[in-house]
Each structure stands twice: as C-alpha cells, then as structure tokens.
C-alpha cells in the first residue's frame, strides 16, 4: 500500500502545472439552462427564416447578430435583470453599429483606423466600470468595426434599428418563455425576486455549517455573491416597475419580499461576524436560515426557530438578528392561510434588545412615470464619473491597450483585405477584453474555437451543397443559438459557436469565400493582441489589479467612517462609550431609537455592499493576473491572491466592527478611528498609483479596539506583499 500524501518526502511531491498553462482547460460547471436554450433556439433562427421568406436577408442578418450577442448576455436572473444585462449592451451595440455605418459612408476607408482608436479608447475606459458596462462597451466596439466594414446595403440608422430589434426579440422571448412554475404558481410576478432572497438564506445556512472548516472562505464568498444578486434584483424591481403602483397583491408582495430581504441583510451581517469568529454552531442554529428560505419560497412564516445562546458578542448579534427576522416573517406573512406560531424568544440579558432594522427604502416609486428618474440613475452618474476619470491609471492603461490593439488590427486588415476586413479588428476586440480571462488563455481558446467552428461549417457546407437554397442555414443558426447559453461556460466553446453563427450570417448575404480567411484573421489578431498586450508599459498588473483593490479599500474606509461617526459624539471629550440603545423599563416599552445603529441603516448597508461588490471584482482581476503568461517585469508580479485574502479580511473586520459597536461595545477613540480610516485611504492611493508609487507609512496597530486592530494588521500584511524589494 502506498504511503499517504502527507508522509511523502517533499522531493517526491508532484509539481503542479502553472496556472497560465491549465487555465485554457478550465470549465465552469452549472445546471443546464433549458429555458435559456429554448430562447436561444427561437431567437436568431426565426429572424433569418423571416428574412429568407421576405427577401430582406441583410436586415435579417443584422437582427440575428443582435439576437446572438444578446444571447451571450442572457444569464439567470429576474426579468428586470434581463432588461439591464441584455438591453444595455444591446443599446451599446446599436450605437456602435450606427457609428460604423457612418464610417462606411466616408470617402476613405482609412478613416476607420483613427475612429476605431477613439471608440476603442472609450470602450476600454468604460470596461473598468463593471460587468454590464463592460459588455456594453465591448458590443459597441465590435459592432463599430462590423458596421464600418461589413458590406450590407442600407442607411446606418436602419442597420442600428435592425440590430436593436433582434435584441428586443430575445428580451420578448425572455418575458414569454418562463418555466411552468413561474406561470402557474400564485404570486408569480415576484417569483424571481423571492428566489433571489431565498438563495441568500440558503447561502447563509451553508456558510454557518462551514464554520471552522476549510470551506468557510468559499462559503462566505458564495454568501456575498447571493446578496449581490438579491440586492440587484430588488433594486431593479423598484427602479423598473412593470406593473405600476397598485394597492393590490402585487405591491403587497413587493413590500413583503423587500422587508424579508432587509431581515436577510441584518442576519448576513451578523453571520459574517460569526464567520470571523470561527466557532462552529449547533446544527439547529445553522439550519435556521434554511427554514427562512423555505418560508420565502412558500410565501409563508417559518414557524419555530432556534433559542438564543448569546455567549459572545457576535453570537448575541446573530440571535437578535434571527429574532428580528422571525418577527418580520410573522408580520409580513399572508393571512389567507393559518400561519404557524412563532415561538417567542425572551430578550437576552447580556445583550440589550434593539428594534427591528428598517427595511431598505425604495430607490424609486412603483410608478411608470419614474422611468426618467430610473434612466438617469442607471446611466447618468456612472457614465459621467467614468468619462471624468478616463485618464486614471487603470482606465488609461486598459483604454490604451484596447485602442492600440483594435487600431493596429484595422490597419493590418485594410492593408490585406478589400471586403471583410472588419473580422480582424472585431476579433481583436473580443481578445483584448480583460474580464474574459487571461490573455494567453483567450488566445489559445480563440484559435482552437475558431478552427473548430470553421471546420464544422466547412463540413456542413460541403454536405448541404447539393440541396440548393439557404434553408439549411436556418437549422444551423437554430442549433447554434440553442448552444450559446451553455457555450458561455468556456471561451473556446463560445468562440466555436459564435464562429459557426457568424459564418452562417455571412454566407447568407453572399460571402461564400470567407471561411478560409477567418483562420488567417484570427491568427493575425492573436499575434497583434499578444504583442500589444505584453508591451512594457501595459504589463504592470499593479495598475489593473491594484485599482480593484483600491476601490474596495475606499468603500471600506467610507463604511468605517459611517459606522464610527457616532451622532452622540461630543467634540470636546470624544465619542461616548456607552451602549447605543436606550434603557428598557419593561417588556411593553419600546427601545429608544434616537441613537439607532449607523452600520445597519440604508446608507451603511449600501456602503458595505459596495465594498463587497468591489471585492468580488478584485478577486476576478487577481485570479486573471495569477494565470497570465509571465511578463517582462517579474519584479512587479506580486502574489495578488494573497493580497486578495487579506483584503477580504479587512472588509470582514470592518463588518465585525459595525456589529460589535451596535452590540454596545465601546467605540474606539477618535484618534484610533482616524488612524485606521487614514491608513485605508493611503493604501488605496498607493495601490491605484501603479508602478513607482511608494507604499505609505502606516500608523501603529490600535491596542484598545479588537476590530480596528484586525483591520490594521491586514493592512500591514498588504503593504508587505505589495512592496517591491
């Protein structure tokens, strides 16, 4: 019998392959989205068939292209998240097609090179904002290249309308094709939002079961991701009302799911404090969020929950949040059916009782006339801030890399081709997109996927040559559209499916000799992107990844300032150290709410969500940087995954600080709070500055406040990991 791995000598331990070599083989596993596959099959295929029947093939191809790219963004979520995740990139693609159509009408084809450089710069700068804006910027750049070079007759505005019409067709299918349970169950209008809130409770139960084990960190990340999805779903439910203001069942369900998500938010905040503490919980306590999840899905009350055992401050916070959740569920449960009684939990003597946390206020009224306000909130501030900071280090580097790659690809393509030169810059735009994975992995998968798609289409063309007509292309497009929701799990698979669809569209408009040129254009685009992507001034991961960490630390600093900004602070003597709740004179007396906790109000919740959302984006950037091909500047290749682990602990410690302060733990002194918030701001500035920016001199670790001491300890660790010797 062989020895266990732990008993082997270190010299005989197998070496793991580098991440840049194994990343191209990675596959994201998930359940098969049968409904999304049905939508994909009915999206571009029927549009192409309609074009064949009516003789408007060019317009049908543009509509099919819009439906195809919209299908790439057709991810799980509510109807409102689909409107934003599909609709916003589609608008960007239509705008790019309009700009490309205007370029196609120019006197000289070479006008497209500087124009694509400008569009690439703006697209690269906008890609740093977030995943939805990144998808919109990518579609705008790709369709600008297609519109400038694809020989399709018609005015530019008509091309943009046809493209947008294809995306709207897929959105209409998303509204119509729902799973049967979404149609038959009572209250189906809020089914997606209820499922998102229930997933938060399920993720919390998984995290509580993982306390003290090796899977606690991954369970915490899944919990934060579930919170983000639910927060986005409910935010869009209030921001994009589809049914208007009603006093009937619809508004009651919206109010109920909002209040229950507010309870989930408080419970998750206390759960993060328990994860920080690391002490395992009894099974009946860890299963309590599971009962709440069942109650959310059934739209009922949870019944009896676990009794409190508040032996620590963190456990006391969790017990009180659980009691608050039970009260909210009991109060908001529909009274059409008997409600299981909630077992009363007596107040814990060691931790004073606080009132129920207020529900998140609606960000827009449930009124169709709020569309203008919704559009302004969705687009205005973010875009203005992005354009105003277009020359920040991270945006400048990403914008310059995208602009150089696309402009160089367009110049090479115009020198080699007379017709379908747009393929080369469009391919470069897909390759240079950083959130699709490491550059080397994208190049390998792009070549393999393109070769596979070209081979399959060539075989189909030879097999169908004797049939005559173009109706076999409809079957190919239907099959390819159905595969897109599954193909998005691997970049190579997605490239093969998209190549098959694009070749079908091009073949339909009469370009039957573009198959072989597709491989040459892909190889040239890969070479250009590899060359430009590894230029000395564009290879510093401290700029790309450090920016994400800087955003997370800045949000954490604002969150801590909000938590420690006690309204009862005396400017002469500093903050008071008493508990934040008023005295209780009896069971029937309501607690004093004049000094409500600051970390649990709407602003504190929004700041904490922003910090964790920035952390998730930083983790994606750190994992991408860890799997990049080793560049020229090895001295600047820090261990970003180790930095990520410490940054997560910084935000967790800030959350624990808020929980402890709300539980009556004495506030830190104003000097200590100023040290920590100033250190967070200084570290964020240093990480965003890029190469050559010195690390700040951090103040000493506070001795009186445990949570702030943890924050400063992790900041010192980040400083040691990112300091270049």
């Amino acid at each position: 019998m062989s020895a266990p791995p732990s008993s082997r000598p270190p010299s005989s331990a197998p070496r793991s392959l580098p991440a840049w070599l194994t990343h191209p083989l990675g596959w994201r596993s998930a359940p098969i989205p049968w409904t999304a596959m049905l939508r994909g099959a009915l999206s571009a295929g029927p549009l192409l068939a309609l074009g064949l029947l009516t003789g408007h093939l060019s317009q049908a191809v543009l509509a099919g292209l819009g439906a195809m790219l919209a299908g790439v963004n057709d991810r799980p979520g509510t109807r409102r998240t689909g409107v934003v995740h599909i609709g916003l990139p589609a608008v960007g693609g239509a705008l790019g097609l309009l700009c490309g159509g205007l370029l196609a009408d120019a006197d000289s084809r070479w006008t497209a090179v500087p124009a694509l450089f400008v569009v690439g710069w703006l697209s690269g700068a906008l890609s740093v904002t977030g995943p939805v804006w990144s998808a919109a910027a990518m579609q705008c750049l790709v369709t600008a290249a297609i519109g400038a070079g694809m020989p399709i007759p018609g005015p530019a505005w008509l091309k943009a309308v046809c493209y947008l019409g294809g995306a709207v067709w897929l959105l209409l299918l998303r509204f119509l094709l729902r799973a049967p349970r979404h149609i038959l169950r009572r209250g189906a209008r809020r089914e997606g939002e209820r499922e998102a809130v229930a997933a938060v409770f399920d993720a919390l139960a998984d995290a509580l079961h993982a306390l003290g084990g090796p899977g606690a960190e991954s369970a915490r990340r899944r919990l934060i991701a579930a919170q983000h999805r639910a927060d986005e779903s409910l935010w869009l439910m209030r921001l994009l009302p589809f049914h208007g203001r009603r006093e009937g069942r619809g508004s009651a369900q919206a109010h109920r799911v909002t209040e229950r998500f507010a309870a989930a938010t408080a419970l998750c905040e206390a759960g993060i404090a328990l994860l920080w503490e690391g002490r395992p919980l009894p099974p009946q306590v860890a299963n309590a969020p599971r009962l709440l999840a069942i109650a959310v899905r059934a739209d009922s009350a949870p019944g009896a929950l676990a009794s409190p055992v508040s032996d620590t401050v963190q456990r006391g916070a969790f017990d009180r949040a659980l009691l608050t959740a039970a009260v909210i569920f009991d109060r908001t449960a529909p009274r059409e059916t008997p409600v299981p009684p909630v077992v009363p939990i007596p107040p814990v003597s060691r931790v004073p009782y606080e009132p129920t946390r207020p529900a998140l206020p609606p960000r827009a009224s449930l009124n169709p006339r709020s569309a203008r306000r919704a559009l302004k909130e969705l687009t205005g501030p973010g875009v203005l801030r992005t354009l105003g900071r277009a020359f920040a280090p991270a945006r400048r580097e990403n914008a310059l890399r995208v602009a150089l790659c696309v402009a160089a690809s367009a110049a090479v393509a115009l020198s080699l081709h007379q017709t379908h030169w747009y393929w080369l810059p469009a391919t470069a735009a897909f390759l240079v997109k950083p959130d699709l994975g490491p550059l080397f992995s994208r190049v390998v998968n792009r070549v393999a996927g393109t070769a596979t798609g070209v081979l399959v289409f060539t075989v189909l063309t030879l097999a169908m040559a004797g049939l005559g007509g173009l109706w076999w292309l409809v079957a190919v497009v239907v099959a390819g559209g159905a595969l897109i929701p599954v193909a998005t799990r691997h970049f190579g698979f997605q490239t093969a499916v998209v190549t098959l669809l694009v070749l079908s569209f091009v073949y339909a408009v009469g370009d039957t000799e573009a198959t072989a040129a597709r491989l040459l254009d892909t190889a040239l685009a890969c070479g250009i992107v590899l060359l430009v992507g590894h230029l000395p001034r564009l290879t510093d991961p401290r700029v790309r990844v450090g920016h994400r960490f800087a955003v997370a630390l800045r949000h954490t600093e604002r969150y801590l300032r909000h938590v420690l900004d006690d309204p009862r602070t005396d400017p002469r003597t500093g903050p008071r150290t008493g508990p934040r709740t008023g005295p209780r004179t009896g069971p029937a007396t309501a607690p004093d709410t004049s000094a409500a906790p600051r970390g649990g109000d709407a602003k504190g919740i929004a700041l904490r969500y922003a910090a964790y959302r920035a952390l998730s984006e930083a983790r994606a950037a750190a994992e991408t940087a860890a799997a990049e091909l080793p560049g020229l500047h090895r001295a600047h290749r820090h261990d970003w995954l180790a930095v990520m682990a410490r940054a997560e602990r910084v935000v967790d410690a800030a959350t624990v600080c808020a929980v402890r302060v709300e539980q009556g733990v004495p506030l830190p002194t104003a000097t200590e709070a100023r040290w920590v918030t100033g250190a967070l701001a200084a570290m964020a500035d240093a990480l965003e500055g890029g190469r050559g920016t010195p690390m700040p001199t951090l103040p000493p670790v506070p001795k009186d406040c445990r949570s702030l001491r943890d924050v400063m300890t992790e900041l010192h660790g980040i400083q040691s990991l990112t300091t270049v010797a």
Side-chain angles (χ1 to χ4, degrees):
M1 181 179 294
S2 61
S6 58
S7 63
R8 293 176 182 172
S11 59
S12 62
R15 286 188 176 184
S16 59
L17 295 174
W20 62 268
L21 196 58
T22 59
H23 191 277
L25 304 177
W27 179 278
R28 183 171 56 88
S29 60
I32 298 178
W34 296 108
T35 307
M37 293 179 66
L38 179 60
R39 289 195 297 266
L42 297 177
S43 58
L47 295 176
L48 184 60
L50 183 62
L52 288 173
L53 287 174
T54 60
H56 296 84
L57 268 178
S58 300
Q59 290 77 14
V61 164
L62 290 174
L65 182 65
M68 179 194 73
L69 292 179
V72 175
N73 298 314
D74 187 11
R75 306 297 174 85
T78 64
R79 294 175 296 171
R80 294 170 178 82
T81 58
V83 169
V84 175
H85 293 176
I86 296 175
L88 190 59
V91 172
L95 181 62
L97 201 60
L98 179 63
C99 297
L102 296 177
L103 289 175
D105 298 334
D107 295 334
S108 175
R109 295 186 307 158
W110 289 93
T111 310
V113 176
L116 288 178
F117 182 89
V118 174
V119 176
W121 181 285
L122 295 177
S123 176
L126 193 60
S127 295
V128 184
T129 305
V132 179
W133 286 108
S134 177
M138 186 271 295
Q139 284 200 24
C140 180
L141 181 56
V142 170
T143 55
I146 293 175
M150 194 171 186
I152 291 183
W157 65 266
L158 181 60
K159 297 177 183 179
V161 169
C162 292
Y163 177 90
L164 194 59
V168 171
W169 168 244
L170 182 67
L171 268 178
L172 183 61
L173 290 175
R174 186 181 176 98
F175 277 87
L176 296 177
L177 297 180
R178 310 280 290 175
R181 62 188 179 91
H182 292 278
I183 298 175
L184 300 178
R185 185 179 296 179
R186 180 182 62 84
R189 268 194 329 211
R190 309 296 177 191
E191 182 72 30
E193 287 79 11
R194 287 213 307 263
E195 182 61 34
V197 174
V200 175
F201 287 110
D202 280 333
L204 177 60
D206 295 338
L208 295 180
H209 279 290
L211 273 175
E217 286 296 323
S218 59
R220 182 192 59 79
R221 288 194 290 270
R222 291 193 296 271
L223 171 62
I224 298 301
Q227 281 187 274
H228 290 167
R229 289 190 293 269
D231 178 59
E232 182 186 34
S233 299
L234 268 67
W235 176 62
L236 292 174
M237 180 186 70
R238 296 186 291 271
L239 191 62
L240 301 174
F242 291 155
H243 301 283
R245 183 184 296 275
R246 289 186 178 181
E247 296 299 327
R249 183 167 298 174
S251 63
Q253 291 171 1
H255 177 72
R256 180 157 55 249
V257 73
T258 301
E259 279 205 299
R260 293 185 172 191
F261 179 63
T265 299
L267 200 59
C268 289
E269 187 179 53
I272 290 174
L274 287 177
L275 290 172
W276 180 264
E277 190 178 34
R279 294 177 55 189
L281 292 177
Q284 64 271 20
V285 177
N287 282 328
R290 197 86 66 190
L291 299 177
L292 297 176
I294 296 173
V296 170
R297 291 188 175 96
D299 204 14
S300 63
L305 298 176
S307 301
V309 183
S310 302
D311 50 354
T312 64
V313 175
Q314 287 83 357
R315 179 63 193 277
F318 181 81
D319 289 337
R320 294 168 59 210
L322 188 61
L323 170 62
T324 300
V327 172
I328 289 177
F329 272 66
D330 184 31
R331 175 166 49 83
T332 60
R335 300 302 175 181
E336 300 175 2
T337 56
V339 179
V342 176
V343 176
I345 305 177
V348 185
S349 58
R350 295 183 58 184
V351 183
Y353 174 74
E354 283 185 1
T356 302
R357 297 189 182 200
L360 289 176
R363 306 189 188 185
S365 62
L366 295 175
N367 193 326
R369 289 177 295 180
S370 64
R372 182 181 303 175
R373 187 188 313 169
L375 182 63
K376 180 179 178 181
E377 187 168 349
L378 271 174
T379 58
V383 172
L384 292 179
R385 281 195 300 266
T386 298
L387 296 179
R389 299 183 59 189
F391 290 93
R395 300 184 191 277
R396 182 177 64 244
E397 184 208 63
N398 192 59
L400 183 60
R401 185 170 62 250
V402 174
L404 284 177
C405 286
V406 175
S409 301
V412 173
L414 286 171
S415 302
L416 297 177
H417 302 293
Q418 295 294 325
T419 54
H420 46 78
W421 61 268
Y422 58 92
W423 274 0
L424 210 158
T427 302
F430 277 110
L431 284 173
V432 79
K433 194 169 183 290
D435 52 345
L436 291 179
L439 181 56
F440 179 76
S441 176
R442 278 176 278 161
V443 167
V444 171
N445 285 318
R446 189 72 185 183
V447 172
T450 302
T452 303
V454 167
L455 179 62
V456 172
F457 187 78
T458 302
V459 172
L460 290 174
T461 304
L462 295 176
M464 301 296 177
L467 296 180
L470 299 176
W471 286 99
W472 62 275
L473 291 175
V474 176
V476 175
V477 173
V478 167
L483 288 176
I484 281 182
V486 181
T488 53
R489 304 176 185 182
H490 189 271
F491 188 59
F493 190 14
Q494 178 181 334
T495 300
V497 175
V498 170
T499 300
L500 184 64
L501 289 172
V502 171
L503 289 175
S504 300
F505 292 145
V506 173
Y507 194 92
V509 294
D511 192 356
T512 59
E513 299 178 356
T515 305
R518 184 64 172 162
L519 288 175
L520 176 61
D521 288 341
T522 299
L524 288 174
C526 291
I528 292 172
V529 170
L530 280 176
L531 177 62
V532 176
H534 287 87
L535 289 177
R537 288 293 178 181
L538 299 179
T539 56
D540 186 8
R542 181 166 171 173
V543 175
R544 302 194 303 272
V545 188
H547 165 74
R548 300 294 187 183
F549 287 109
V551 172
L553 293 182
R554 286 198 180 97
H555 284 302
T556 307
E557 177 218 350
R558 298 188 189 105
Y559 178 55
L560 264 182
R561 287 185 186 275
H562 181 75
V563 168
L564 301 179
D565 183 18
D566 191 357
R568 303 171 301 127
T569 299
D570 190 329
R572 295 170 299 177
T573 60
R576 301 180 184 179
T577 58
R580 287 176 169 251
T581 52
R584 298 180 63 216
T585 58
T589 303
D592 181 17
T593 60
S594 60
R598 300 298 304 275
D601 61 357
K603 183 177 180 181
I605 291 171
L607 291 173
R608 182 168 61 87
Y609 275 0
Y612 277 112
R613 186 176 294 108
L615 266 184
S616 63
E617 296 176 359
R619 168 165 288 278
E623 291 174 347
T624 299
E628 288 283 9
L629 192 66
L632 301 177
H633 300 277
R634 293 179 178 271
H636 302 285
R637 292 181 60 85
H638 307 301
D639 188 357
W640 291 110
L641 292 179
V643 176
M644 182 70 229
R646 290 189 175 272
E648 287 178 336
R649 289 195 286 269
V650 166
V651 185
D652 286 349
T655 303
V656 174
C657 179
V659 171
R660 290 172 62 84
V661 167
E662 291 174 17
Q663 291 296 303
V665 174
L667 282 166
T669 64
T671 302
E672 290 181 337
R674 194 164 52 248
W675 281 356
V676 176
T677 54
L680 284 168
M683 182 61 67
D685 293 338
L687 287 175
E688 194 170 33
R691 184 172 55 248
T693 305
M695 283 287 108
T697 301
L698 297 179
V701 177
K703 297 181 179 179
D704 297 332
C705 181
R706 173 186 171 186
S707 300
L708 295 187
R709 184 168 64 246
D710 293 337
V711 171
M712 285 301 302
T713 300
E714 302 302 333
L715 283 180
H716 279 280
I718 293 176
Q719 183 186 44
S720 63
L721 288 170
T722 55
T723 300
V724 180

mmCIF file of all heavy atoms in Angstrom, residues 382-396:
data_model
loop_
_atom_site.group_PDB
_atom_site.id
_atom_site.type_symbol
_atom_site.label_atom_id
_atom_site.label_comp_id
_atom_site.label_asym_id
_atom_site.label_seq_id
_atom_site.Cartn_x
_atom_site.Cartn_y
_atom_site.Cartn_z
ATOM 1 N N GLY A 382 -22.919 57.177 -13.281
ATOM 2 C CA GLY A 382 -21.820 56.259 -13.570
ATOM 3 C C GLY A 382 -21.037 56.653 -14.802
ATOM 4 O O GLY A 382 -19.812 56.636 -14.816
ATOM 5 N N VAL A 383 -21.759 57.038 -15.871
ATOM 6 C CA VAL A 383 -21.073 57.410 -17.100
ATOM 7 C C VAL A 383 -20.275 58.691 -16.910
ATOM 8 O O VAL A 383 -19.141 58.816 -17.366
ATOM 9 C CB VAL A 383 -22.096 57.562 -18.245
ATOM 10 C CG1 VAL A 383 -21.435 58.127 -19.483
ATOM 11 C CG2 VAL A 383 -22.724 56.224 -18.556
ATOM 12 N N LEU A 384 -20.866 59.668 -16.216
ATOM 13 C CA LEU A 384 -20.148 60.924 -16.017
ATOM 14 C C LEU A 384 -18.896 60.712 -15.184
ATOM 15 O O LEU A 384 -17.839 61.287 -15.462
ATOM 16 C CB LEU A 384 -21.079 61.939 -15.339
ATOM 17 C CG LEU A 384 -22.258 62.428 -16.206
ATOM 18 C CD1 LEU A 384 -23.111 63.401 -15.411
ATOM 19 C CD2 LEU A 384 -21.740 63.094 -17.476
ATOM 20 N N ARG A 385 -19.009 59.879 -14.149
ATOM 21 C CA ARG A 385 -17.811 59.621 -13.350
ATOM 22 C C ARG A 385 -16.767 58.876 -14.168
ATOM 23 O O ARG A 385 -15.569 59.125 -14.054
ATOM 24 C CB ARG A 385 -18.190 58.801 -12.103
ATOM 25 C CG ARG A 385 -18.810 59.613 -10.995
ATOM 26 C CD ARG A 385 -18.819 58.826 -9.703
ATOM 27 N NE ARG A 385 -19.569 57.604 -9.818
ATOM 28 C CZ ARG A 385 -20.849 57.493 -9.488
ATOM 29 N NH1 ARG A 385 -21.513 58.540 -9.054
ATOM 30 N NH2 ARG A 385 -21.473 56.343 -9.596
ATOM 31 N N THR A 386 -17.224 57.936 -15.008
ATOM 32 C CA THR A 386 -16.282 57.184 -15.830
ATOM 33 C C THR A 386 -15.567 58.084 -16.825
ATOM 34 O O THR A 386 -14.339 58.029 -16.965
ATOM 35 C CB THR A 386 -17.027 56.065 -16.578
ATOM 36 O OG1 THR A 386 -17.594 55.189 -15.618
ATOM 37 C CG2 THR A 386 -16.079 55.284 -17.458
ATOM 38 N N LEU A 387 -16.332 58.931 -17.534
ATOM 39 C CA LEU A 387 -15.700 59.814 -18.501
ATOM 40 C C LEU A 387 -14.838 60.857 -17.807
ATOM 41 O O LEU A 387 -13.803 61.277 -18.335
ATOM 42 C CB LEU A 387 -16.776 60.493 -19.356
ATOM 43 C CG LEU A 387 -17.610 59.547 -20.237
ATOM 44 C CD1 LEU A 387 -18.646 60.334 -21.009
ATOM 45 C CD2 LEU A 387 -16.719 58.763 -21.185
ATOM 46 N N GLY A 388 -15.233 61.274 -16.606
ATOM 47 C CA GLY A 388 -14.434 62.254 -15.892
ATOM 48 C C GLY A 388 -13.118 61.689 -15.403
ATOM 49 O O GLY A 388 -12.139 62.427 -15.239
ATOM 50 N N ARG A 389 -13.060 60.368 -15.161
ATOM 51 C CA ARG A 389 -11.821 59.738 -14.686
ATOM 52 C C ARG A 389 -11.226 58.853 -15.770
ATOM 53 O O ARG A 389 -10.591 57.853 -15.496
ATOM 54 C CB ARG A 389 -12.113 58.906 -13.434
ATOM 55 C CG ARG A 389 -12.651 59.717 -12.273
ATOM 56 C CD ARG A 389 -12.835 58.848 -11.058
ATOM 57 N NE ARG A 389 -11.594 58.231 -10.657
ATOM 58 C CZ ARG A 389 -11.491 57.276 -9.719
ATOM 59 N NH1 ARG A 389 -12.576 56.848 -9.119
ATOM 60 N NH2 ARG A 389 -10.335 56.749 -9.404
ATOM 61 N N ALA A 390 -11.436 59.228 -17.026
ATOM 62 C CA ALA A 390 -10.951 58.403 -18.140
ATOM 63 C C ALA A 390 -9.436 58.331 -18.179
ATOM 64 O O ALA A 390 -8.880 57.440 -18.814
ATOM 65 C CB ALA A 390 -11.480 58.948 -19.456
ATOM 66 N N PHE A 391 -8.748 59.280 -17.512
ATOM 67 C CA PHE A 391 -7.301 59.284 -17.537
ATOM 68 C C PHE A 391 -6.704 58.792 -16.223
ATOM 69 O O PHE A 391 -5.530 59.022 -15.952
ATOM 70 C CB PHE A 391 -6.790 60.693 -17.871
ATOM 71 C CG PHE A 391 -7.069 61.094 -19.285
ATOM 72 C CD1 PHE A 391 -8.219 61.789 -19.601
ATOM 73 C CD2 PHE A 391 -6.204 60.753 -20.310
ATOM 74 C CE1 PHE A 391 -8.491 62.158 -20.908
ATOM 75 C CE2 PHE A 391 -6.466 61.109 -21.616
ATOM 76 C CZ PHE A 391 -7.616 61.816 -21.920
ATOM 77 N N ALA A 392 -7.504 58.143 -15.372
ATOM 78 C CA ALA A 392 -6.962 57.486 -14.198
ATOM 79 C C ALA A 392 -6.068 56.331 -14.640
ATOM 80 O O ALA A 392 -6.235 55.794 -15.741
ATOM 81 C CB ALA A 392 -8.095 56.983 -13.300
ATOM 82 N N PRO A 393 -5.093 55.915 -13.797
ATOM 83 C CA PRO A 393 -4.108 54.917 -14.256
ATOM 84 C C PRO A 393 -4.727 53.639 -14.804
ATOM 85 O O PRO A 393 -4.357 53.178 -15.890
ATOM 86 C CB PRO A 393 -3.276 54.661 -12.998
ATOM 87 C CG PRO A 393 -3.383 55.917 -12.218
ATOM 88 C CD PRO A 393 -4.770 56.444 -12.470
ATOM 89 N N ALA A 394 -5.671 53.044 -14.076
ATOM 90 C CA ALA A 394 -6.242 51.773 -14.541
ATOM 91 C C ALA A 394 -7.042 51.958 -15.820
ATOM 92 O O ALA A 394 -6.945 51.165 -16.758
ATOM 93 C CB ALA A 394 -7.124 51.163 -13.442
ATOM 94 N N ARG A 395 -7.834 53.006 -15.893
ATOM 95 C CA ARG A 395 -8.629 53.250 -17.095
ATOM 96 C C ARG A 395 -7.724 53.616 -18.267
ATOM 97 O O ARG A 395 -7.980 53.227 -19.401
ATOM 98 C CB ARG A 395 -9.641 54.363 -16.827
ATOM 99 C CG ARG A 395 -10.609 54.050 -15.700
ATOM 100 C CD ARG A 395 -11.637 55.146 -15.558
ATOM 101 N NE ARG A 395 -12.401 54.989 -14.336
ATOM 102 C CZ ARG A 395 -13.450 54.191 -14.195
ATOM 103 N NH1 ARG A 395 -13.835 53.466 -15.220
ATOM 104 N NH2 ARG A 395 -14.096 54.096 -13.056
ATOM 105 N N ARG A 396 -6.678 54.401 -17.982
ATOM 106 C CA ARG A 396 -5.783 54.800 -19.062
ATOM 107 C C ARG A 396 -5.062 53.598 -19.643
ATOM 108 O O ARG A 396 -4.932 53.471 -20.866
ATOM 109 C CB ARG A 396 -4.772 55.814 -18.533
ATOM 110 C CG ARG A 396 -3.820 56.344 -19.603
ATOM 111 C CD ARG A 396 -2.895 57.396 -19.036
ATOM 112 N NE ARG A 396 -2.011 56.871 -18.006
ATOM 113 C CZ ARG A 396 -2.039 57.260 -16.741
ATOM 114 N NH1 ARG A 396 -2.930 58.164 -16.346
ATOM 115 N NH2 ARG A 396 -1.210 56.747 -15.853
#
